[in-house]
Structure formats: C-alpha cells, structure tokens
Amino acid sequence: MTVESMHVRSRAGDEAKEQKQTACARVLAVLSAFSSSGGAPLSLTDISRRAGLTLTTTHRLVGELTEWGALERDERQYRIGIKVLELAASSTRGLELREVAMPYLMDLHAATRENVHLAVRAGLEVVYVERLHAPGGVELLSKIGGRWPLHATGTGLVLLAFADYDVQEQVLSGPLQRFTSKTICDSPTLRRALAEVKRTRVAITEGQITPGAVAIASPIHGPDGDVVSAVGVVVPTTGFAPRGNEKPPPGGWKQQTIVPAVVTTARRISRALAG
Amino acid sequence: MTVESMHVRSRAGDEAKEQKQTACARVLAVLSAFSSSGGAPLSLTDISRRAGLTLTTTHRLVGELTEWGALERDERQYRIGIKVLELAASSTRGLELREVAMPYLMDLHAATRENVHLAVRAGLEVVYVERLHAPGGVELLSKIGGRWPLHATGTGLVLLAFADYDVQEQVLSGPLQRFTSKTICDSPTLRRALAEVKRTRVAITEGQITPGAVAIASPIHGPDGDVVSAVGVVVPTTGFAPRGNEKPPPGGWKQQTIVPAVVTTARRISRALAG
C-alpha cells in the first residue's frame, strides 16, 4: 500500500467516523486537539488528524471558532484564543475561587517560600487551579489545569477524604496508579489514610509522585459547608520530620511550622468564600 | 396578547433563528450564555433564553457539553466546567504567559504592595490575564478575563502604542468611550499619548477609568521581538508626582520608584519568554 493510498484510506475512515458524531462532538473534538497538543499551535492538518475529522469539516469549524475567539490564528497555525480564558474566568470553581484565594496563597508562599497549590476535584481526579512556584523549591510536574489521580497527591487525598461515599468507593475499588515506590496503591492503606485526613483535617504525604518531596494539604469549605477545594504546599523532605524517633533539630521540624500555615490558609480562604 | 402567547411567539422566533445558525454557532451560543451571566450558574431555561435556542436544542447541547466537561451540573443549574480552565491553560497567550510571568509579577507586587496587572490585546480591547490585588490599594473594576477599550487603561495604551498601524487607525477613527472626565476621548490627544508611550516605553495615565488612580504600564516582548503583553501597576494618585512644578517630598515622588520597578519587571518577563 502506498503512503498516498493509506492517506486516502485514513481520510475515508475520518469521513465514516465523522458521520456518526453529533455536530457538538465535532466542535469539541477540534478543541480537544489543543488539550492533547499541550498548548502547542497546530496547523489545519494537525487539528484534522488529532480531531479525526476531514480537512473540509476542520476548515469550516476552525473558521467559525476563530471568528468567535475560541481559536486564534497566527500565520498558518492556530492556538487556543483569549476568549477561552474569559470563559474560564466565569467558572465559579476555577478562576473565581482562585481570585478569592489568591491573597492568602501569596501570603502562604511568602511565609514558606515553597510551592503552593490550589486544587479542586473533577470526577476521580484532582485539577490544579493555581500553582505558585518556589524558585529554589522542589521541581514539580504540576501545572495549572493539570490533572492527577486523587490518591497520589496531598490536595487529592484531602478532596477524596471529604468526597461522597460513592466517589471514595469508586477510587478504592479501582486500580491505584503507582508513580514511585511510596505511592499508596492498596485500598486498605488508602482507606486508613483517608480516615486520618478526615480526623486531622490535614494530609501529609511523602514522595508519592516526586521522590524527596512532602505534600501538606488542608480542605477549603464553600459557603454551604461542603469541601470545594484544597490548598497545599510541597516542600523538600530534607528538614522535614522523619517517621522514626530522631530528636528534632533546634528550630523544630519544618512540619511544625508548615502544617499550621497550611491549615490557617485553608481556614482563611473558607472564611473569605463565605463572606 | 397574553403572556402565554408571547412566550409561544418568542419560542417560534427562537426556532426560526436556530434554523439559520450553524451547529457550531449553536454550541458557541450556549457557552456565550455563561459569559453574559458573569459566571452565575444558569438553569436550562436561562441558557435557552440567553442563547436564543429552543429548549429541546439547549437540553441536547447542554447534555453533550456537560458530558465533555465544558459545563458542570449542580442540582438544576449549570456552570462553566473545569475542562474550560484546562483548555485555557493551554492558551499560549493566556495562562502560559501568566505562568512564566508570575514570579516577576509577585516580586513587583511584593515590592510595591500595589495592584499588579498582566494584559494582552484582543482586537480593539485589552484583556487581563492576571491581576494581583493590593488589599489596601485602589479599588479596581478589573478582573481576570475582563475586557476594556485600549485607549482607557495603562496596559491598553501600551498595547495600542505597539500595535500595527491598522489597529491604531481603527481605534483613532472610532468613537472613544468616556469613563471619567480624564479619559482621553479625542484622537489628536490619543495620538500624542501613543507616540510618547512608544518613545519612553512606559504609559503613565491618571484617572482614566477610576478617579484617584494612576496606571503605569510597560511592554513585554515575545521571543520574536513583537510586543505580546503589558505589565502594569495601579497606585493611588496621592503621593504621585503632580503635573505642576511642586517640589518633591523628601522620599521623592512615588513615580520615581514605581516606574523603574514596572519597566524592569516588563524586561525580566520578556527575557524569561525568550529563554
């Protein structure tokens, strides 16, 4: 089979697939092409390939989306437009929460000089809505809009501990992805960890995704009392209280100062959301 | 005409309107309903009314958008979903720019304790992609994703001064909206202001939207040298250099310290974007 005939075959496949999709699904497929590109600008051909749509359909939809502002054209490439940020800003759980929380997150960042996270739950995942990076801190894989499984991060554990029974059982019964040797991957251990988080209102977890990093997180309540978000700090394990019985250093373990700062920040944000 | 018959008439109008729209336009109309609500959750009826679509179509599209994550359901109301934030995070001009700029914006905020803005141009408007609020500072109308005419804000003047000739002429020839008695509303004055901004690489403008506030802004260059964004600070007029010949106070006018801080921040962000 020549390359050209493969191309024709695959295009024919796109056409067949396209006819089964709703118009709305085709629009969303175009937008999803950009999620999967990680923000890189895409040509019409790239978008068509990633969305699994014919070039004709892609061309038409990209034109309409560009006119509306969901996409922006830069010579022969397209990228997500500023209108999407505008729309995101009207998401009560996203940028609006972030706007209320920001002064407190900045205080926490200034006080600790460590990486600060603000996260919400989306289904069985945790999504970061804010991340303040500590220049000298732990190198993290997190980014705004990034998603991780709930069991593997500090903020995720908090959100899972305060989630409905159904959500908890779904996570506990499903496979628990392993990232490092320290990731909690068995359900009895996870169940105990969640009970502890619920009791103490703080999650402290070490090296679950990044070796050498400790995550400390605490729940944020919405005006009706539900847990709507979690705030967390990620610090290097060095200087943090070990699991053994070693004596603390003269200034105390870092945990002693970081935990109250995180808990206080969570409470301050809850209060601001209620006001 | 009874209320009921009016309702039927308007629904019939929606149906006629709907048939003229493309499928993509109908999807975008549903999303736009949330921009116009300012982020407030909407019922199906609200969405249908704002989008100008029949309830049947609205119901079907809202269902598909919710499944994909663009909308989230909260009992009988819908709001913009976290997936839109994820998508916005992959906008090179939006959250990605913000992520690179953030450490420098925080430094500027810490150094000045004033309101800090990061903005881009979208057509003939300025859109805020970041806003760090100063608790004791000037009360501002800006919010992330918010739009203003280019001629009326500090960051807007910078973006206009460095925009293409066509964009400048379009603004200069159009009506210039007045917000306060100090808004620049005639094109010769605006033309002079833009030349001055281009020459000095800093915009200093007083009370154009908020009386008693001075905006100071400077351009941020992308890797290819084009101006892609602007950073600005808004400070209370008190303590700022007046237009007259008064002697400066012992510590100098606030302008003397703020302007270099804004210009330096803009240069640091340009450098970070290039690296």
Side-chain angles (χ1 to χ4, degrees):
Chain A
M1 193 156 51
T2 64
V3 170
E4 203 170 308
S5 73
M6 274 175 70
H7 182 74
V8 170
R9 285 268 307 249
S10 112
R11 291 287 108 173
D14 284 352
E15 235 167 87
K17 189 176 152 198
E18 205 175 283
Q19 278 161 10
K20 283 189 209 139
Q21 282 182 317
T22 64
C24 182
R26 289 196 286 266
V27 172
L28 297 177
V30 169
L31 294 175
S32 296
F34 292 87
S35 298
S36 69
S37 85
L42 298 175
S43 69
L44 268 183
T45 319
D46 293 338
I47 301 169
S48 129
R49 198 177 302 123
R50 284 169 188 267
L53 297 171
T54 61
L55 261 177
T56 320
T57 305
T58 306
H59 184 262
R60 184 173 52 77
L61 292 177
V62 164
E64 286 193 62
L65 287 166
T66 305
E67 199 180 317
W68 189 69
L71 298 182
E72 284 175 357
R73 191 181 174 159
D74 190 5
E75 292 177 22
R76 292 172 146 259
Q77 305 235 290
Y78 294 85
R79 54 188 182 185
I80 290 292
I82 212 73
K83 183 94 178 194
V84 175
L85 181 71
E86 235 181 297
L87 211 54
S90 68
S91 143
T92 348
R93 295 216 303 154
L95 289 180
E96 204 177 295
L97 164 70
R98 186 200 156 281
E99 186 117 338
V100 172
M102 199 62 186
Y104 307 104
L105 299 179
M106 285 174 69
D107 284 354
L108 183 59
H109 185 261
T112 63
R113 302 309 295 174
E114 302 288 358
N115 296 291
V116 171
H117 285 145
L118 181 72
V120 299
R121 183 173 66 80
L124 303 184
E125 292 175 307
V126 52
V127 181
Y128 295 114
V129 296
E130 184 53 78
R131 188 194 80 145
L132 300 181
H133 182 64
V138 184
E139 269 312 312
L140 293 179
L141 301 167
S142 62
K143 58 169 245 168
I144 294 172
R147 286 170 181 251
W148 292 93
L150 288 168
H151 70 282
T153 80
T155 45
L157 279 178
V158 166
L159 293 165
L160 186 56
F162 288 90
D164 287 348
Y165 177 81
D166 292 0
V167 174
Q168 291 195 356
E169 287 309 310
Q170 239 178 300
V171 171
L172 284 161
S173 65
L176 298 164
Q177 198 187 339
R178 177 174 295 287
F179 296 92
T180 69
S181 62
K182 295 202 174 174
T183 315
I184 304 176
C185 291
D186 68 295
S187 50
T189 311
L190 180 55
R191 210 180 278 277
R192 276 195 305 276
L194 294 177
E196 182 70 8
V197 170
K198 197 142 190 186
R199 194 179 63 77
T200 59
R201 301 184 53 77
V202 63
I204 303 175
T205 163
E206 193 204 332
Q208 283 223 83
I209 291 180
T210 309
V214 174
I216 302 143
S218 191
I220 295 169
H221 296 264
D224 60 1
D226 289 350
V227 169
V228 292
S229 175
V231 58
V233 165
V234 179
V235 301
T237 311
T238 333
F240 209 81
R243 276 150 204 249
N245 287 322
E246 292 109 272
K247 261 193 171 173
W253 301 114
K254 210 162 189 180
Q255 175 177 6
Q256 292 174 334
T257 57
I258 299 264
V259 172
V262 173
V263 173
T264 313
T265 302
R267 291 182 67 101
R268 287 175 75 191
I269 299 171
S270 303
R271 208 179 301 269
L273 286 173
Chain B
M1 190 156 53
T2 64
V3 170
E4 203 171 307
S5 73
M6 273 174 71
H7 182 74
V8 170
R9 285 271 302 252
S10 113
R11 290 287 109 176
D14 285 350
E15 235 167 88
K17 191 177 152 197
E18 206 175 282
Q19 279 160 9
K20 282 189 210 140
Q21 281 182 319
T22 65
C24 182
R26 290 195 285 266
V27 173
L28 297 176
V30 169
L31 294 176
S32 297
F34 291 88
S35 298
S36 69
S37 85
L42 299 175
S43 70
L44 268 182
T45 319
D46 293 337
I47 301 169
S48 130
R49 197 176 304 122
R50 283 169 189 266
L53 297 171
T54 61
L55 260 179
T56 321
T57 305
T58 307
H59 184 261
R60 183 172 53 76
L61 292 177
V62 163
E64 286 193 63
L65 287 166
T66 306
E67 198 179 316
W68 189 69
L71 298 181
E72 285 176 356
R73 191 180 174 156
D74 191 5
E75 290 175 23
R76 293 174 145 258
Q77 304 235 292
Y78 294 86
R79 54 187 182 184
I80 289 293
I82 212 73
K83 183 93 177 194
V84 175
L85 181 70
E86 236 181 295
L87 211 54
S90 67
S91 143
T92 351
R93 295 215 304 154
L95 288 181
E96 205 178 295
L97 164 69
R98 185 201 156 280
E99 186 117 337
V100 172
M102 198 63 186
Y104 308 104
L105 299 178
M106 286 174 68
D107 285 353
L108 182 60
H109 185 260
T112 62
R113 304 307 296 172
E114 301 288 358
N115 296 291
V116 171
H117 285 144
L118 182 72
V120 299
R121 182 173 66 81
L124 302 185
E125 291 176 306
V126 53
V127 181
Y128 295 114
V129 296
E130 184 52 79
R131 189 194 80 146
L132 300 181
H133 182 62
V138 184
E139 270 312 311
L140 293 178
L141 302 168
S142 63
K143 58 169 245 168
I144 294 173
R147 285 169 182 251
W148 292 93
L150 287 168
H151 71 281
T153 81
T155 46
L157 278 178
V158 166
L159 293 166
L160 186 56
F162 289 90
D164 288 347
Y165 177 81
D166 292 2
V167 174
Q168 292 195 356
E169 287 310 309
Q170 239 178 303
V171 172
L172 286 160
S173 65
L176 297 165
Q177 198 186 338
R178 177 174 295 288
F179 296 92
T180 69
S181 62
K182 296 203 171 172
T183 314
I184 304 175
C185 292
D186 68 294
S187 49
T189 311
L190 180 56
R191 208 180 280 276
R192 276 196 303 276
L194 293 177
E196 181 71 7
V197 170
K198 196 142 190 188
R199 195 180 63 75
T200 59
R201 301 183 54 77
V202 62
I204 303 174
T205 161
E206 193 203 330
Q208 283 223 85
I209 291 179
T210 310
V214 174
I216 302 142
S218 191
I220 295 170
H221 296 266
D224 60 0
D226 289 350
V227 168
V228 292
S229 175
V231 58
V233 164
V234 179
V235 301
T237 310
T238 333
F240 208 81
R243 277 153 202 248
N245 287 322
E246 292 108 272
K247 261 195 172 172
W253 301 114
K254 211 163 190 180
Q255 175 176 4
Q256 291 173 332
T257 58
I258 300 265
V259 172
V262 173
V263 173
T264 313
T265 302
R267 292 182 67 102
R268 287 176 73 192
I269 299 172
S270 303
R271 208 180 301 267
L273 286 174

